[in-house]
Amino acid sequence: MSTTETASGNAVEPILEIDKLNISFFVRAGEIPAVMDFSCKVMPGEAMGLVGESGCGKSTVALGIMRDMGNRGKIVGGKIKFRGRDMGEMSEKELQDIRGSKISMIYQEPMASLNPAMKVGKQLMEVPLIHDGVSRDDAYKRSIELLDAVKLPDPARVMSAFPHQISGGQQQRIVIAMALLSKPDLLLLDEPTTALDVTVEAGIVQLVKELARETGTSMLFISHNLGLILETCDRITVMYSGEAVETGTVNEVFDSMRHPYTRGLFNSIPLPGADKNTRPLVSIPGQLPLPMERPKGCNFGPRCSYFSEECDTAAVRMQAVQGEANHMSRCVRMDKIDWDAEPERPVVTEPSEPGKVVLDVRELKKYYNVAANQMFGGGDTRTVKANESITLTARESETVAIVGESGCGKSTLAKVLLGLETATDGEVMLDDTSIGNTDVTDRNTETVASVQMVFQNPFDTLNPSHSVGSQIIRTLEKFNIGSNPEERRQRMLELLDLVKLPRAFADRMQRQLSGGQKQRIGVARAFAGQPKLVVADEPVSALDVSVQAAVTELLMEIQREAKTTMLFISHDLSIVRYIADRVVVMYLGHIVEQGTTDDIFAPPYHPYTEALLSAIPIADTSVQKKQIVLDGDIPSALNPPSGCPFQTRCGHKANVPGGLCEKEVPPVVDLGGGHTIKCHLDSSRLDAMESVISFHKSASADTAGTHGTGSDLST
């Protein structure tokens, strides 16, 4: 049916209706089917979420709607209807008139949509000038109004700026303003917040929801983040290997999922109740099949724990879930599966206990002197205080997470630990060795091997010209491990075993590996020298959720065996809550709060921690969050605010008398048990803080019970 009836009996036509869509790419090797038998519809004012792993066809669907598939992509079957009209029957002129006016798209990377050589104002004004034929004065006025609507400070200044002169969060707001300038009927959003900090993401999501509600715009929201889909969408379609495998309302799919792949995605993410020892994550086995190597029958069959012979032979089509007419699944066995049964989890019977202090950082300061006109020399020299009085410890077998927005000093601290930078002041001790003032080139081999790093992007950490095995062997040679080539080769094979990769991968090149496999090689190299400290800098943020779970579990398993200390740098507090024993919260070079994970996730909080917790998208319909959206961007380290570094964005500043927040850096308040907060709020204000995250309906006993009485998640 192409229409839906309202309560008054009037038929409502979908804004977008996709019916049995098939998209293929034609290359030298032949036809590659990217999307198959895909159907969905978006009603007026509705937000549809599209989720799935990388390569499942989400973006291809959006590009198919826009008819932006290049000269190799082609729709080979099915229809895409916009407001009842088949877009395949529209002329090129009609499609051009619709694109950017009736249908707008927001891409993942804002700079892909902005011309670096044109001022922001000119790019914005093009939309109403071209699509609406208004005067330049009207175009300027509408652009200013929308920049104000997307909460950009000083819109007139932004209009006269070039894209590189503003932050990433501001760039994305401009792209959103550009997309909404023509008041489109349909807005396509392709991972619009992936590259942003969680606090900026929260503001962008809130903004898109408000603007869509005000304008009545319908949305197709593409994301791998299930929590984000829950917060923004009315309905959801789950894709796997080019097909829609489940669709329904958000509550139907989240609370009564009826496809094994959907269930696998939820088992892979750290929801409230997940515990790294008693309720570990369960990753989806295997890999997404290549388009040319899809199995017969069910595409998910080779990775499905419920697979049986009928999955291979039966016609696998979307079918309605019993009792839920609009909830559909592409699973032939959905009526035979016990959906309430818990998956088998590899419970840790002997969790490791933190041992002696391995890393001891005392009053660390790292300053940079930057000339105001450094490119051409001259000008006043200004000091960037990247790290200011950092004090923390990390014990053997312990995971300490460092969280905060971009620019807070997390990576600078990592560079000092690795010897890529030297400290300006303070002391860094690794066991009994002082390393803070020793450059990596001056460190002995044992010290270099003792501090290793797992990088954020697995694609940039491997040499494309050398095999996987040779790169691991080179690391072993540098660390003087093994007395001859045969011993080193044997150790290399043992490291592949350690990261659960087949030994045959030793002869593979980088281009032959998936993202998750590359990250496993990065982990193998980091642990090759038997390090005392591993710095993991956003090690899973570039990976799909199922691969994230596998790499996270792998890191913890190796850490338990080797009794390694891990410093886990992340902006994702969901994974931090799951993996970390203690958490350090940084803002503009300062540690504003630190303590055990239970301390950080339960009140009292530092106001910045409170905002970070509020920004976590949680894929659980039983969770209720307090809404805290920070105003503005993190200040520049070149021109930090006076007094408390957070005072320009703090919602609690009015509760501190005498303007103290603007005058003095707060003292460190010890709340006991190693929980400290750097804040001017008095104890009565801190004690009165309410939980940011709580349950608004009865949660399962095993979910609530995992966190204990100290966590706000157990309320």
Side-chain angles (χ1 to χ4, degrees), residues 321-520:
V321 174
Q322 188 174 1
E324 298 175 348
N326 294 316
H327 184 188
M328 304 188 76
S329 170
R330 196 183 293 269
C331 179
V332 298
R333 303 193 67 229
M334 75 171 150
D335 295 330
K336 302 173 184 176
I337 295 172
D338 181 1
W339 296 102
D340 295 325
E342 266 287 298
E344 289 187 17
R345 301 179 189 270
V347 176
V348 179
T349 53
E350 295 183 7
S352 54
E353 291 292 329
K356 63 173 185 175
V357 172
V358 171
L359 176 70
D360 191 359
V361 181
R362 296 288 172 192
E363 296 295 325
L364 170 68
K365 297 180 181 180
K366 177 58 187 175
Y367 297 168
Y368 296 93
N369 291 323
V370 181
N373 193 3
Q374 195 173 40
M375 184 179 292
F376 302 105
D380 295 333
T381 299
R382 304 174 74 176
T383 300
V384 176
K385 297 181 178 181
N387 286 157
E388 181 69 23
S389 301
I390 302 296
T391 297
L392 62 90
T393 59
R395 300 177 179 274
E396 182 184 80
S397 298
E398 186 177 48
T399 299
V400 177
I402 300 180
V403 300
E405 294 169 288
S406 301
C408 73
K410 307 186 300 288
S411 295
T412 300
L413 173 59
K415 287 176 182 177
V416 172
L417 298 179
L418 289 158
L420 301 176
E421 300 281 359
T422 53
T424 303
D425 197 6
E427 191 168 41
V428 180
M429 299 294 293
L430 183 71
D431 279 345
D432 299 324
T433 306
S434 177
I435 62 172
N437 294 303
T438 310
D439 190 271
V440 67
T441 55
D442 297 325
R443 293 183 181 182
N444 60 39
T445 301
E446 182 182 349
T447 304
V448 173
S450 293
V451 186
Q452 287 295 295
M453 189 162 186
V454 180
F455 293 90
Q456 177 176 359
N457 193 339
F459 306 96
D460 295 337
T461 56
L462 296 177
N463 189 325
S465 303
H466 295 275
S467 68
V468 164
S470 66
Q471 294 185 64
I472 296 175
I473 287 172
R474 178 170 171 77
T475 304
L476 296 171
E477 288 173 348
K478 288 287 185 182
F479 293 154
N480 298 326
I481 294 172
S483 55
N484 56 60
E486 184 52 40
E487 281 188 15
R488 283 190 281 272
R489 177 168 177 79
Q490 187 57 38
R491 175 59 182 155
M492 177 269 293
L493 295 173
E494 290 170 359
L495 284 165
L496 289 179
D497 294 340
L498 186 69
V499 296
K500 294 180 171 57
L501 286 176
R503 291 190 171 195
F505 274 45
D507 299 321
R508 290 200 179 185
M509 307 297 283
Q510 175 186 341
R511 64 181 181 274
Q512 296 172 293
L513 306 180
S514 69
Q517 289 166 347
K518 289 175 186 174
Q519 193 61 294
R520 286 169 184 261

Side-chain angles (χ1 to χ4, degrees), residues 500-573:
K500 294 180 171 57
L501 286 176
R503 291 190 171 195
F505 274 45
D507 299 321
R508 290 200 179 185
M509 307 297 283
Q510 175 186 341
R511 64 181 181 274
Q512 296 172 293
L513 306 180
S514 69
Q517 289 166 347
K518 289 175 186 174
Q519 193 61 294
R520 286 169 184 261
I521 299 299
V523 172
R525 290 202 309 186
F527 282 88
Q530 298 172 325
K532 297 174 183 175
L533 174 68
V534 169
V535 181
D537 188 1
E538 303 272 13
V540 295
S541 63
L543 306 176
D544 283 311
V545 288
S546 61
V547 184
Q548 275 186 17
V551 172
T552 300
E553 293 301 316
L554 173 72
L555 274 170
M556 291 189 296
E557 185 179 328
I558 297 173
Q559 181 196 26
R560 281 191 292 266
E561 291 178 7
K563 297 189 180 303
T564 309
T565 304
M566 185 153 64
L567 216 58
F568 191 88
I569 297 173
S570 181
H571 69 271
D572 184 348
L573 279 165

Side-chain angles (χ1 to χ4, degrees), residues 201-379:
E201 177 183 76
I204 295 288
V205 167
Q206 188 70 16
L207 171 72
V208 169
K209 285 164 63 179
E210 288 174 4
L211 292 175
R213 189 165 52 243
E214 290 169 9
T215 61
T217 300
S218 302
M219 294 193 295
L220 186 67
F221 198 113
I222 297 170
S223 180
H224 67 275
N225 189 327
L226 287 161
L228 211 53
I229 293 296
L230 176 60
E231 291 186 0
T232 54
C233 296
D234 307 298
R235 293 176 54 78
I236 178 175
T237 297
V238 182
M239 287 190 74
Y240 180 79
S241 190
E243 297 177 327
V245 295
E246 186 166 7
T247 186
T249 67
V250 165
N251 283 349
E252 284 171 344
V253 174
F254 277 58
D255 293 339
S256 55
M257 59 198 73
R258 287 297 180 267
H259 195 280
Y261 178 61
T262 311
R263 183 186 175 103
L265 288 178
F266 277 86
N267 286 336
S268 299
I269 55 179
L271 296 172
D275 182 277
K276 65 181 180 180
N277 295 321
T278 59
R279 275 178 64 91
L281 304 181
V282 181
S283 60
I284 302 172
Q287 303 288 333
L288 190 77
L290 294 173
M292 306 291 283
E293 299 173 359
R294 290 188 176 106
K296 63 177 181 176
C298 177
N299 282 340
F300 188 61
R303 304 175 71 187
C304 181
S305 56
Y306 304 106
F307 179 80
S308 75
E309 192 175 322
E310 64 184 306
C311 303
D312 251 350
T313 57
V316 185
R317 299 190 182 93
M318 293 290 277
Q319 51 190 318
V321 174
Q322 188 174 1
E324 298 175 348
N326 294 316
H327 184 188
M328 304 188 76
S329 170
R330 196 183 293 269
C331 179
V332 298
R333 303 193 67 229
M334 75 171 150
D335 295 330
K336 302 173 184 176
I337 295 172
D338 181 1
W339 296 102
D340 295 325
E342 266 287 298
E344 289 187 17
R345 301 179 189 270
V347 176
V348 179
T349 53
E350 295 183 7
S352 54
E353 291 292 329
K356 63 173 185 175
V357 172
V358 171
L359 176 70
D360 191 359
V361 181
R362 296 288 172 192
E363 296 295 325
L364 170 68
K365 297 180 181 180
K366 177 58 187 175
Y367 297 168
Y368 296 93
N369 291 323
V370 181
N373 193 3
Q374 195 173 40
M375 184 179 292
F376 302 105

Side-chain angles (χ1 to χ4, degrees), residues 123-268:
Q123 298 185 60
L124 284 166
M125 289 167 62
E126 276 185 343
V127 178
L129 285 171
I130 292 172
H131 291 291
D132 299 333
V134 301
S135 67
R136 293 190 65 83
D137 286 345
D138 283 344
Y140 183 85
K141 183 180 177 183
R142 281 169 59 172
S143 299
I144 287 283
E145 286 173 353
L146 212 51
L147 286 182
D148 191 53
V150 297
K151 297 181 173 61
L152 274 170
D154 195 357
R157 181 191 63 81
V158 173
M159 288 282 282
S160 62
F162 286 97
H164 70 271
Q165 295 175 309
I166 52 182
S167 70
Q170 290 176 335
Q171 288 170 5
Q172 194 63 286
R173 287 169 188 261
I174 288 163
V175 172
I176 290 169
M178 195 180 296
L180 292 172
L181 258 172
S182 59
K183 298 178 181 175
D185 295 328
L186 178 65
L187 185 61
L188 309 177
L189 303 101
D190 189 0
E191 302 272 13
T193 60
T194 301
L196 305 177
D197 284 309
V198 286
T199 50
V200 180
E201 177 183 76
I204 295 288
V205 167
Q206 188 70 16
L207 171 72
V208 169
K209 285 164 63 179
E210 288 174 4
L211 292 175
R213 189 165 52 243
E214 290 169 9
T215 61
T217 300
S218 302
M219 294 193 295
L220 186 67
F221 198 113
I222 297 170
S223 180
H224 67 275
N225 189 327
L226 287 161
L228 211 53
I229 293 296
L230 176 60
E231 291 186 0
T232 54
C233 296
D234 307 298
R235 293 176 54 78
I236 178 175
T237 297
V238 182
M239 287 190 74
Y240 180 79
S241 190
E243 297 177 327
V245 295
E246 186 166 7
T247 186
T249 67
V250 165
N251 283 349
E252 284 171 344
V253 174
F254 277 58
D255 293 339
S256 55
M257 59 198 73
R258 287 297 180 267
H259 195 280
Y261 178 61
T262 311
R263 183 186 175 103
L265 288 178
F266 277 86
N267 286 336
S268 299

